[in-house]
Amino acid sequence: MHRIAFVLTLVVLQSSALLAQTPIPDWCRALPRPEYKTVQRVSISDPWFEVYEPAHGVFAIYEPHQAEETISYLVVGEKQALLFDTGMGISDLEKVIAQLTRLPIILLNSHTHNDHVGDNWEFSRIYGMDTDFTRQNALGSRLDAQAEIASGQICGELPKGFDSKVYATRPWKIAAYTHDGDRFDLGDRTLEVIATPGHTPDSISLLDRANGLLFTGDTYYPAPIWLFRPETDLDAYDLSIRRLAALAPQVKVVMGAHNIPVASPTQLPKLVAAFDAVRAGKVQPLPDSPGKVVYKVGDISFLMRAPTAH
Ligand SMILES: [Zn+2]
């Protein structure tokens, strides 16, 4: 009996090892995304990252080799630079930043899910939102990080020296708290914090009003928007996207935190209309992975919890 179980375990282990070796997961076949042809590329030395300059002094630091396709942003002013997220923590973001600017770095996170805070530990001037969710995530964790390197999540090569066994989100220190309406003066440009809770309690957007740039984190990006986690609050999300849509006339480019670094501000009122339609029960859910469904309205889609049967 035990012997059979042992043999079965071996078979399962071997087949998952085979899966892990599958060279090209489906999501990875879609890369490079065509929108990147329209954005200026910047060369750096670490092949884990691709860096683009979608607006003057704004660097989008993209991680195309992992399924989240996370994008962190570095906004460079005359006196200091603001880093908005630190990605997966799979390679060394600080080394990339050092190739882009020598100015002192202020770090803010669009929110503190593991795929946006992975290299926070490498920085010291970290502003956090004053929420228990933020404080809890600043303690670090292993579970979510490990899921990010499971079978089918990696496209191409992990960085040399990366140790998957010890991969975890490392803890970081919140140096100060930031709040809705705070302004960060970088010298010749200012970024304003807009609290946009919903995806998480600590989600924020950043507005560079003078240049018409809006950084929306995971509140909006041009791919399915994840609204299924227990910390997601749909009522809060509803209010937050209305706030962003009201800014659309002043905005030239919307920069979200996954897949593609540029979107039109006309997407923001469309996002509100799409979300309204979903909440009004006017959109048929499509099945996704167990417990989740996708709602699709034109080119906007939401990945949400499956409705529970009454
Ligand atoms: Zn997130």
Side-chain angles (χ1 to χ4, degrees):
M1 198 57 208
H2 285 294
R3 194 190 196 111
I4 291 171
F6 178 66
V7 170
L8 278 175
T9 311
L10 268 184
V11 170
V12 169
L13 281 175
Q14 276 174 356
S15 58
S16 63
L18 281 176
L19 275 176
Q21 284 165 18
T22 302
I24 307 177
D26 273 350
W27 64 270
C28 174
R29 288 174 202 275
L31 306 185
R33 297 180 181 279
E35 291 83 355
Y36 280 89
K37 286 205 189 87
T38 66
V39 193
Q40 178 75 41
R41 178 124 182 221
V42 176
S43 93
I44 48 134
S45 63
D46 183 343
W48 178 256
F49 299 99
E50 288 179 10
V51 178
Y52 295 84
E53 191 173 2
H56 178 69
V58 176
F59 298 98
I61 305 162
Y62 174 47
E63 297 182 55
H65 302 287
Q66 198 282 332
E68 302 280 5
E69 292 182 59
T70 301
I71 307 172
S72 309
Y73 291 90
L74 178 71
V75 185
V76 179
E78 246 171 16
K79 292 188 186 139
Q80 48 189 355
L82 190 148
L83 179 59
F84 196 43
D85 286 346
T86 58
M88 303 299 302
I90 287 177
S91 196
D92 188 344
L93 185 74
E94 198 192 24
K95 272 197 187 147
V96 175
I97 300 300
Q99 291 173 47
L100 299 171
T101 183
R102 294 180 170 239
L103 292 171
I105 302 290
I106 300 168
L107 170 57
L108 271 77
N109 294 108
S110 65
H111 62 297
T112 54
H113 276 154
N114 67 294
D115 50 326
H116 303 271
V117 300
D119 271 328
N120 271 23
W121 67 274
E122 293 189 295
F123 298 87
S124 55
R125 285 172 72 200
I126 305 177
Y127 289 79
M129 290 296 278
D130 191 358
T131 77
D132 289 339
F133 183 77
T134 313
R135 282 181 284 272
Q136 178 61 40
N137 287 335
L139 303 174
S141 68
R142 185 178 144 83
L143 207 62
D144 285 342
Q146 282 288 316
E148 305 281 18
I149 53 169
S151 173
Q153 299 297 297
I154 300 298
C155 176
E157 300 281 311
L158 283 160
K160 283 190 195 75
F162 176 78
D163 185 350
S164 51
K165 280 183 236 76
V166 302
Y167 176 52
T169 304
R170 294 172 65 162
W172 73 90
K173 275 208 183 84
I174 300 166
Y177 286 111
T178 187
H179 305 90
D180 184 53
D182 281 354
R183 285 155 185 268
F184 288 86
D185 182 357
L186 307 182
D188 56 346
R189 68 202 302 167
T190 300
L191 291 171
E192 298 173 38
V193 174
I194 304 168
T196 43
H199 175 69
T200 64
D202 61 355
S203 292
I204 61 171
S205 300
L206 292 180
L207 177 64
D208 176 342
R209 207 178 278 270
N211 295 298
L213 310 177
L214 181 63
F215 301 86
T216 48
D218 278 8
T219 302
Y220 174 74
Y221 48 79
I225 295 163
W226 287 16
L227 297 175
F228 58 81
R229 304 251 315 197
E231 61 271 26
T232 293
D233 177 337
L234 299 180
D235 292 330
Y237 184 77
D238 188 77
L239 292 173
S240 293
I241 59 177
R242 277 167 214 283
R243 229 181 136 188
L244 294 182
L247 294 169
Q250 309 174 51
V251 173
K252 288 185 197 135
V253 189
V254 173
M255 302 191 203
H258 291 277
N259 297 44
I260 297 163
V262 287
S264 162
T266 56
Q267 291 300 101
L268 298 172
K270 278 167 66 183
L271 175 68
V272 171
F275 195 62
D276 279 350
V278 168
R279 294 202 94 194
K282 291 178 188 157
V283 184
Q284 256 327 93
L286 308 168
D288 192 81
S289 42
K292 290 177 208 146
V293 292
V294 174
Y295 294 93
K296 221 171 159 345
V297 184
D299 61 357
I300 292 180
S301 56
F302 305 99
L303 185 59
M304 296 174 70
R305 284 163 232 157
T308 45
H310 293 287

